[in-house]
Amino acid sequence: MSEPAEISPLTLSRLPLYLRCLRQLQEKGTTHVSSSQLAQQFELSASLIRKDLAQFGEFGIRGTGYRVDELVDRLNGLLGLDRIHKMAVVGMGSLGSALARYLSVNDRPFKIVAAFDVDGGRVGSKLGHLIVHHSREIPEVIPETGARIAVLAVPASAAQKCYEDLTDSGIEAVLNFAPIRLKRNPAVRTKSVDFQIYLEELAYFLRS
Amino acid sequence: MSEPAEISPLTLSRLPLYLRCLRQLQEKGTTHVSSSQLAQQFELSASLIRKDLAQFGEFGIRGTGYRVDELVDRLNGLLGLDRIHKMAVVGMGSLGSALARYLSVNDRPFKIVAAFDVDGGRVGSKLGHLIVHHSREIPEVIPETGARIAVLAVPASAAQKCYEDLTDSGIEAVLNFAPIRLKRNPAVRTKSVDFQIYLEELAYFLRS
DNA sequence: ACCCGCTTGTGAACCATGTCACAAGCGTCT
DNA sequence: AGACGCTTGTGACATGGTTCACAAGCGGGT
């Protein structure tokens, strides 16, 4: 079809999934894969996968399927995973530290370039070869480091303030883990991950 | 209307949000609230909130709004948050430990009653006043403790095996943090939280 | 007792998403 | 070269969710 006008959010959420699966196939040496093979990997319908992929041009080969290498490259480019993404982590409590470790490993193109906290015991300490800054230094340090993504792992009471400091400092995307509904800056892509709410959703199914 | 036939998943995901906001209002001493007041707290439309709430009977008062106390009680009951929910945590790495701390605090009705890992250095250690068991003991310990919810925080390579052990042991709901697409047991409510994928989604918006 | 303002509950229109079914097209085998 | 099997790309349909608009109804003030 035409060029990526605007990917629908649900399609977008599946692309990284496809990509992950394709990389596994790539490592196994598989060169081609059909939509129905992909479909049974995840629990999705083959036609949905085809529709998702067809939005970015026709790179399937009828009768054969998709070339794994080509699809990986294309999706990587589409998602912007062919560049390095610099991230800042705010809040170095147990969750923030775990996330820092968790998100920067692997061959992923996400690198942590700054860390912040307000706790005197943690400010100045080391995260790998990074120094933990005080959160009040966000406005200076963020532009210096060039971070564009921030991971927010502070207590709910501090989250809104930190969020605003970050967005004011030029951060363009935020992944929030504080259990609070942020008042969003519309210019900044903001995604919230709220464990408490997930648990409460699960609890609903256990009211037997 | 009639009794909770089956709540749609999107409605369900908003109910905990409402509840959290309502509890805050309750603490501030607010007795009544209108759908439009709630709407501007989150970024939702008032009519959506009314539709969500109207599914469980009419407890709004026309001209006035909703009674906060009543709504809190009703939603609490609906989500099953008026009982204690026993949870098991599997994988006590940095993420698992952080989650354990994070999810069991507060006045929330979720209590951790068992913890598991495979690492010799961690098995036998203490989590609060709990002992960390070896994961191979899942089939015995889960039924003993009566846990119905499990939090999976193990490496991707171990996740499917652990998931199956858990569901075979009577676990009824799983919150998975391993970066992998689980082959699900249809009898078990399974929710996956995948940080890597969230980051990749955000990266898409940064391909300037 | 009545009126008036405000807010709910809800049917209908609108939109997004996913499913189905099938024509178009590639590759292979004879 | 031609026919066949398989798989994609895609239009038409079905489903589910949200917004809109408004009648119904509560409560306070006169």
Side-chain angles (χ1 to χ4, degrees):
Chain A
M1 188 97 318
S2 56
E3 268 318 283
E6 185 97 29
I7 302 181
S8 100
L10 296 207
T11 296
L12 177 57
S13 72
R14 284 186 295 265
L15 295 185
L17 222 64
Y18 300 157
L19 196 44
R20 181 182 289 166
C21 180
L22 288 165
R23 278 191 285 246
Q24 285 171 10
L25 291 173
Q26 210 173 24
E27 279 171 25
K28 279 199 295 184
T30 312
T31 60
H32 291 260
V33 66
S34 72
S35 61
S36 50
Q37 286 174 302
L38 284 173
Q40 67 189 92
Q41 282 281 332
F42 341 103
E43 289 155 6
L44 295 173
S45 79
S47 59
L48 181 57
I49 295 177
R50 289 202 300 276
K51 245 195 183 150
D52 281 344
L53 297 181
Q55 288 182 36
F56 322 115
E58 313 190 357
F59 31 74
I61 306 166
R62 299 181 186 218
T64 307
Y66 298 89
R67 283 213 313 134
V68 174
D69 287 350
E70 183 184 359
L71 203 44
V72 166
D73 286 350
R74 195 83 177 76
L75 289 180
N76 256 317
L78 230 140
L79 291 171
L81 302 177
D82 48 1
R83 307 162 190 49
I84 298 288
H85 289 277
K86 297 181 184 171
M87 296 193 304
V89 180
V90 184
M92 296 305 294
S94 57
L95 183 61
S97 308
L99 290 171
R101 194 178 313 184
Y102 198 82
L103 292 174
S104 59
V105 288
N106 293 353
D107 49 346
R108 290 283 126 50
F110 299 97
K111 300 286 176 233
I112 297 177
V113 297
F116 300 91
D117 204 301
V118 292
D119 184 297
R122 295 198 278 253
V123 172
S125 69
K126 66 299 143 203
L127 172 73
H129 52 327
L130 279 173
I131 302 163
V132 176
H133 294 272
H134 194 285
S135 299
R136 82 170 77 85
E137 297 175 47
I138 286 176
E140 303 141 39
V141 176
I142 293 286
E144 279 172 22
T145 58
R148 299 174 71 195
I149 303 180
V151 175
L152 239 196
V154 303
S157 55
Q160 185 68 43
K161 171 75 165 62
C162 282
Y163 176 74
E164 287 163 15
D165 289 348
L166 287 165
T167 57
D168 289 348
S169 307
I171 283 288
E172 295 165 70
V174 174
L175 188 56
N176 170 49
F177 290 89
I180 192 180
R181 184 89 174 175
L182 293 173
K183 227 164 43 66
R184 300 181 175 211
N185 180 330
V188 176
R189 294 292 160 168
T190 306
K191 187 162 183 78
S192 279
V193 180
D194 197 317
F195 309 141
Q196 287 180 8
I197 282 185
Y198 299 151
L199 270 190
E200 296 185 357
E201 278 180 60
L202 286 177
Y204 166 74
F205 297 103
L206 268 53
R207 316 139 301 155
S208 59
Chain B
M1 190 93 318
S2 57
E3 268 319 284
E6 184 97 30
I7 303 181
S8 98
L10 295 206
T11 296
L12 176 58
S13 71
R14 285 187 295 266
L15 295 184
L17 221 64
Y18 300 156
L19 195 45
R20 181 182 289 166
C21 180
L22 288 165
R23 277 192 286 246
Q24 285 171 11
L25 291 173
Q26 210 173 23
E27 279 171 25
K28 279 200 295 183
T30 312
T31 60
H32 292 261
V33 67
S34 72
S35 61
S36 51
Q37 286 174 302
L38 284 173
Q40 66 188 92
Q41 284 279 333
F42 340 104
E43 290 155 5
L44 295 173
S45 78
S47 60
L48 181 57
I49 295 177
R50 289 202 299 276
K51 254 211 171 133
D52 281 343
L53 297 180
Q55 289 183 35
F56 323 114
E58 311 190 359
F59 29 76
I61 306 166
R62 298 178 186 220
T64 307
Y66 298 89
R67 283 213 315 133
V68 174
D69 287 351
E70 184 184 357
L71 203 44
V72 166
D73 287 350
R74 195 83 176 77
L75 290 180
N76 255 318
L78 232 140
L79 291 171
L81 301 177
D82 48 1
R83 311 163 189 47
I84 298 287
H85 291 277
K86 297 181 183 171
M87 296 193 304
V89 179
V90 185
M92 296 305 294
S94 56
L95 182 61
S97 308
L99 289 171
R101 195 178 312 184
Y102 198 83
L103 293 174
S104 61
V105 288
N106 292 352
D107 49 345
R108 291 282 126 51
F110 299 97
K111 301 284 176 233
I112 296 177
V113 296
F116 300 91
D117 204 301
V118 291
D119 183 296
R122 296 198 276 253
V123 171
S125 69
K126 67 299 142 205
L127 172 73
H129 52 325
L130 280 173
I131 302 164
V132 176
H133 294 272
H134 193 284
S135 299
R136 81 169 78 85
E137 297 174 49
I138 285 175
E140 303 141 39
V141 176
I142 292 286
E144 278 173 23
T145 57
R148 299 173 72 195
I149 303 180
V151 175
L152 239 196
V154 302
S157 54
Q160 185 67 43
K161 171 75 165 59
C162 282
Y163 176 74
E164 287 163 15
D165 289 348
L166 287 165
T167 58
D168 289 348
S169 307
I171 283 289
E172 294 165 70
V174 174
L175 188 56
N176 170 50
F177 290 87
I180 191 181
R181 184 90 174 174
L182 292 173
K183 228 164 41 66
R184 299 180 176 215
N185 180 328
V188 176
R189 294 291 161 168
T190 305
K191 187 162 183 75
S192 279
V193 180
D194 196 318
F195 308 141
Q196 287 180 7
I197 282 185
Y198 299 151
L199 271 191
E200 296 185 357
E201 278 180 61
L202 286 177
Y204 166 74
F205 297 103
L206 269 53
R207 317 139 299 157
S208 59

